[in-house]
Amino acid sequence: MVNIEFIQKLADIVKEKDLGEITIADGEEVVTIKGKKCPPPPPMGAPAGMPAVPAAAQTVQTAPAAQAVPAVSGNVVKSPIVGTFYAASAPDKPPFVTVGQQVKKGDVIMIIESMKLMNEVQSEFDGTVAEILVKNGEAVEFDQPIMIIK
């Protein structure tokens, strides 16, 4: 069972060893603690057991988003993890945010699914959503620009 003491011990290990992150799984419970040091992006080759085509598709999808960022001024919201971007909590639900919508710091603005876990991403900025750079269901890389908030 995961408790605060266990999480604190993991956080201490991450800090002491200067790790980027540590993930512990026990049955269905998974705990990930991220340190200040960010892990390097995964290599472009496909992981064992994964087809090479999705990795190539991710590369193609990443390039236009990276080019779109300099054209727009504002705060760039980047993906905190590698995963799949979802604009809403379920296919039949409305998106968390739309272009032109006001957001406040702490508002949930998207979900990134990684390793079957749905990770809610909160806005770090107050402002208006100026642009959403990826489509619902697209794969995203760590630190990839996802949204612009002015």
Side-chain angles (χ1 to χ4, degrees):
M1 179 175 191
V2 178
N3 59 38
I4 296 297
E5 291 175 12
F6 178 72
I7 293 172
Q8 184 60 45
K9 286 179 184 177
L10 288 177
D12 290 342
I13 291 169
V14 169
K15 184 177 178 181
E16 180 181 305
K17 302 290 185 182
D18 197 27
L19 300 174
E21 77 178 50
I22 187 171
T23 301
I24 304 294
D26 181 22
E28 290 187 22
E29 293 182 348
V30 177
V31 176
T32 299
I33 306 291
K34 294 185 179 189
K36 291 182 182 179
K37 186 176 183 181
C38 296
M44 294 307 293
M50 296 292 290
V53 176
Q58 289 175 2
T59 303
V60 172
Q61 293 168 356
T62 303
Q67 294 170 355
V69 174
V72 179
S73 63
N75 297 307
V76 179
V77 178
K78 297 180 180 181
S79 177
I81 55 177
V82 174
T84 303
F85 166 81
Y86 291 111
S89 59
D92 60 335
K93 301 287 183 185
F96 291 109
V97 296
T98 56
V99 172
Q101 181 177 340
Q102 291 284 332
V103 294
K104 293 182 179 169
K105 184 176 182 177
D107 288 351
V108 175
I109 55 175
M110 70 182 97
I111 288 178
I112 304 291
E113 177 187 8
S114 180
M115 298 178 63
K116 306 284 184 191
L117 293 175
M118 299 297 180
N119 300 282
E120 290 184 343
V121 177
Q122 298 176 345
S123 177
E124 297 178 11
F125 315 104
D126 291 335
T128 303
V129 177
E131 191 172 354
I132 299 174
L133 304 170
V134 295
K135 294 181 179 141
N136 193 47
E138 278 190 5
V140 294
E141 296 292 327
F142 171 75
D143 216 25
Q144 175 182 341
I146 304 286
M147 196 176 295
I148 309 272
I149 298 177
K150 288 187 176 183

